[in-house]
Amino acid sequence: MTGLDTLRPRLPSPLQELSDPRFARHGLRLLLKRDDLIHPELIGNKWRKLAPNLTAAAGRTVLTFGGAYSNHLRATAAAGRLLGLSTVGVVRGAELAGRPLNPSLARCAADGMRLHFVDRSTYRRKTEPDTLARVLRAADAEDAYVVPEGGSNPLAVRGCRALGEELAGRADVVAIACGTGGTLAGLAAGLAPDQRCLGFSVLKGGFLTVDTESLQRRAFGARCGDWTIDDRFHFGGYARTTPELDAFAEDFGHRHGLPVERLYVAKLLYGLVALAEEGAFARGTTLAAVVTGRPFP
């Protein structure tokens, strides 16, 4: 991957076994797939999803979408700085334009991303061709290469298939936190036929199963792999946490020396502990949890 190879990604990412009594007492083995160690700035599934899109951009300006705390926007901005690409971030919420930037958006701006704020109604319709064309004109980016919110498109999904291939034969159940479903769609397609994939939605709404299946059909022509999504552990929705989740993440990090990212990874690990307690996995099952990010800042 010309250009991207100079960033020296750590692939395949490491697989780390943990000793945790909450799993061991149910006869379960827990592995962490450390995608957070792929690259210091293009972390986890962001590398896997962005890399093929950055190659396809072929040096053009990259325009993408996200909320005020979007990991995807930060990763795209960092990629732009590292590779010398111009980037534009279309941010949900026109009311944010006149306010001081939060730390996440400030990092984007510091990495050279030009931020363009749009009202929430326009943002909801961003995939409609006429609306997208208006946004591109308003952002002075009509010739840009467009990456969708969360980076999830067929190129990204096919890029994430390598994650499943790296885990083939290494675990019985592979679990991952899901925002747009793109990483799950590719991961499930790359696993062996006797492996199962479990997604934990970090958003409310219960729509991710339909979205993930749609992404697989666009990328591979059909639904593929054995996968399901659990919608119970979103803790109020995207970018939301609770004192209970924070306490869990602090405890997990203390036990294992791993700083736990709250918006995705903590919800994944909490959900796995809860399912283990529910008896959802047969004794002797090996679980692999994909660590897709680390705390910010």
Side-chain angles (χ1 to χ4, degrees), residues 11-286:
L11 291 169
S13 59
L15 195 60
Q16 172 188 359
E17 183 164 3
L18 296 188
S19 176
D20 192 308
R22 294 170 293 187
F23 295 92
R25 66 171 168 258
H26 299 289
L28 306 174
R29 181 174 173 231
L30 178 64
L31 308 175
L32 297 186
K33 178 63 167 166
R34 297 294 304 275
D35 264 22
D36 58 313
L37 300 178
I38 289 177
H39 187 273
E41 295 185 80
L42 302 183
I43 297 166
N45 59 344
K46 303 309 174 192
W47 175 280
R48 297 185 189 274
K49 291 161 74 172
L50 273 174
N53 277 289
L54 293 171
T55 299
R60 294 155 59 194
T61 294
V62 174
L63 179 143
T64 193
F65 301 83
Y69 294 92
S70 168
N71 293 327
H72 170 66
L73 285 183
R74 288 202 310 274
T76 304
R81 172 174 54 79
L82 292 166
L83 297 171
L85 294 173
S86 175
T87 59
V88 179
V90 178
V91 183
R92 180 179 62 246
E95 72 278 4
L96 300 175
R99 300 178 185 173
L101 298 178
N102 67 31
S104 185
L105 292 178
R107 175 69 63 84
C108 292
D111 279 342
M113 175 174 274
R114 183 159 54 85
L115 300 175
H116 179 73
F117 297 88
V118 299
D119 65 83
R120 293 169 189 271
S121 175
T122 297
Y123 193 90
R124 282 193 296 272
R125 293 181 285 108
K126 62 187 177 297
T127 59
E128 298 173 7
D130 289 348
T131 301
L132 176 60
R134 287 197 299 273
V135 170
L136 292 176
R137 283 196 300 272
D140 193 22
E142 290 178 272
D143 296 325
Y145 179 86
V146 177
V147 178
E149 182 178 34
S152 291
N153 60 8
L155 273 179
V157 171
R158 289 191 286 268
C160 289
R161 181 168 50 189
L163 172 58
E165 292 167 349
E166 289 173 24
L167 284 163
R170 307 299 297 274
D172 302 299
V173 178
V174 178
I176 191 165
C178 306
T180 57
T183 307
L184 171 64
L187 164 61
L191 292 172
D194 61 346
Q195 293 176 290
R196 180 162 64 92
C197 193
L198 177 58
F200 289 91
S201 176
V202 303
L203 299 91
K204 293 192 294 185
F207 53 83
L208 267 184
T209 295
V210 172
D211 287 0
T212 303
E213 185 166 322
S214 174
L215 284 166
Q216 285 196 326
R217 292 188 186 283
R218 290 167 58 202
F220 307 120
R223 176 171 174 142
C224 45
D226 180 2
W227 58 269
T228 56
I229 295 175
D230 194 317
D231 294 306
R232 295 178 294 160
F233 302 102
H234 53 70
F235 286 87
Y238 184 71
R240 295 184 182 275
T241 65
T242 67
E244 180 185 11
L245 184 66
D246 287 336
F248 170 85
E250 286 292 332
D251 175 69
F252 194 98
H254 179 73
R255 289 176 187 239
H256 301 296
L258 172 73
V260 177
E261 187 271 334
R262 299 295 198 268
L263 306 188
Y264 288 86
V265 180
K267 297 176 181 183
L268 160 69
L269 295 171
Y270 186 102
L272 279 179
V273 169
L275 288 183
E277 292 293 336
E278 292 173 7
F281 309 112
R283 296 186 72 85
T285 297
T286 297

